[in-house]
Amino acid sequence: MPLLLMSFFRTRTTAFGLLLAVALLPACQRAAYQAQATLPPITARPVDKTQPEDAKMAAEIAPYRQRVTEQMSAVLGTAPVALTKNAGESPLGNFVADLQRERAAVALHQPIDLAVMTNGGLRTAFPAGPITLGSVFELMPFENKLVVLDAPGPVVQQLFDYSARVKMPISGAIYTVSPDGKATDIHIGGQPFNPARVYAIAISDYLAGGGDNLLFFKPLTQRDTGVLLRQAIADKITSLTAQGKPIEARVEGRVK
């Protein structure tokens, strides 16, 4: 047989043998591995009052819990009457907006024209009686910073038009809501609103970033005061108490 033909048959035979071995290989192995569940049938346990307390963990937590309880229970001041919040102008809304403007002016060493606090930004009210640090955390549970925006006249007009729809007061200003729901007769710092001016506005970084649909503020640069809004509230109450003053505010007719 010619050498080339013999080489061809040897190659074919070898290939056939390899194919046959591969075909028979699974039959020589044990059955494919089947995963077996090893987890308990119940993998989620709700944690509630029926769950027994872990004594070791409770002992670890106890000193921290006591410290937090003491801090949150510390009385910062006293309100003779409740500082309530509601739609439109409210004592609590005026109180917080005013202290924002005051604190921002101190932090940045310049007068601040306006301050804004929406009703939704205040999570509760201050009831009559002692006001604790815990009360301030309930009012302002967020880590919002107090910032200042330098707003040109057209943006300030948008702010007042937004405010007029819900009759929201703005610290440092008085305005009238027209029959068609527009802001008119705007006075800022006792002076007529000047659309050609730039006004400094104290506000939380959340609202400055467009929160509560204040989208017209988003393009403006925020100047950080380095103060958390919650801390500014606590400091104001502490300061009034140190001066022997009660914690109080009232509706003043900022929106007509």
Side-chain angles (χ1 to χ4, degrees), residues 81-216:
V81 298
L83 272 69
T84 57
K85 71 165 199 164
N86 51 260
E89 186 178 356
S90 70
L92 185 61
N94 285 352
F95 179 76
V96 175
D98 287 350
L99 72 85
Q100 287 181 182
R101 190 158 58 95
E102 177 185 314
R103 185 60 179 270
V106 172
L108 298 182
H109 309 289
Q110 69 166 87
I112 303 298
D113 302 297
L114 303 167
V116 176
M117 172 49 66
T118 61
N119 191 52
L122 303 171
R123 292 303 184 180
T124 186
F126 284 149
I131 298 176
T132 65
L133 182 59
S135 304
V136 176
F137 269 78
E138 291 174 0
L139 171 69
M140 185 63 57
F142 321 105
E143 295 297 303
N144 292 152
K145 296 184 293 184
L146 178 62
V147 301
V148 170
L149 301 176
D150 296 309
V155 173
V156 174
Q157 181 66 62
Q158 286 181 284
L159 168 62
F160 278 98
D161 288 340
Y162 171 98
S163 302
R165 293 196 293 270
V166 292
K167 297 186 176 181
M168 182 181 77
I170 299 174
S171 177
I174 297 173
Y175 69 96
T176 299
V177 180
S178 68
D180 61 350
K182 299 292 185 181
T184 62
D185 195 25
I186 301 170
H187 282 71
I188 299 175
Q191 300 297 317
F193 167 54
N194 180 358
R197 258 201 63 186
V198 173
Y199 291 89
I201 303 175
I203 191 169
S204 74
D205 61 334
Y206 169 72
L207 295 178
D212 279 3
N213 212 32
L214 294 169
L215 301 178
F216 41 83

